[in-house]
């Protein structure tokens, strides 16, 4: 990341939206959007590469967990519930 993140209120972010998008896209900068008297962070304008890396990380972790669960099922160490049983329990 380039420099310290910037914090702007919703109104400030609206007034400078194009500039902050350019800073994210070309300057690799993060802008936090805040709301309320306590200026609580509620959103962010971030470089797309950061979001793509975040999504990739989740995909890898989901794959790791799925492989682990499948190994547990194959080894007989996981509790397995049939779809029919789940439907019955949910009244479907």
């Amino acid at each position: 990341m380039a420099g310290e993140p910037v914090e702007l209120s919703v109104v400030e972010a609206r007034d400078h939206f194009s500039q902050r998008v350019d800073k994210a896209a070309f300057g690799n900068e993060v802008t936090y959007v805040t709301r309320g008297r306590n200026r609580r962070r509620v959103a962010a304008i971030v470089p797309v590469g950061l979001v793509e890396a975040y999504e990739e990380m989740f995909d890898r972790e989901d794959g790791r967990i799925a492989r682990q669960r499948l190994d547990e099922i194959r080894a007989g160490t996981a509790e397995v519930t049939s779809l029919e049983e789940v439907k019955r329990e949910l009244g479907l």
Side-chain angles (χ1 to χ4, degrees):
M1 291 289 113
E4 288 294 311
V6 173
E7 290 195 10
L8 298 177
S9 69
V10 172
V11 171
E12 292 168 326
R14 180 196 64 210
D15 292 346
H16 301 283
F17 185 73
S18 182
Q19 175 193 18
R20 298 318 307 171
V21 169
D22 285 347
K23 294 276 189 179
F26 305 114
N28 211 32
E29 291 185 20
V30 173
T31 301
Y32 289 105
V33 181
T34 63
R35 174 177 278 161
R37 279 184 231 153
N38 62 355
R39 295 183 61 90
R40 185 174 57 91
R41 291 176 175 176
V42 294
I45 302 169
V46 299
V48 71
L50 184 63
V51 176
E52 290 171 344
Y54 181 76
E55 290 172 337
E56 221 175 275
M57 178 190 68
F58 267 99
D59 289 346
R60 279 194 310 272
E61 182 63 7
D62 286 346
R64 186 195 65 76
I65 291 168
R67 283 188 300 278
Q68 180 181 347
R69 296 295 179 258
L70 186 56
D71 289 346
E72 291 169 358
I73 291 168
R74 287 178 176 153
T77 58
E79 183 178 332
V80 178
T81 306
S82 71
L83 176 60
E84 290 75 23
E85 187 176 338
V86 171
K87 285 180 178 178
R88 193 173 39 257
E89 288 178 13
L90 296 174
L92 302 174

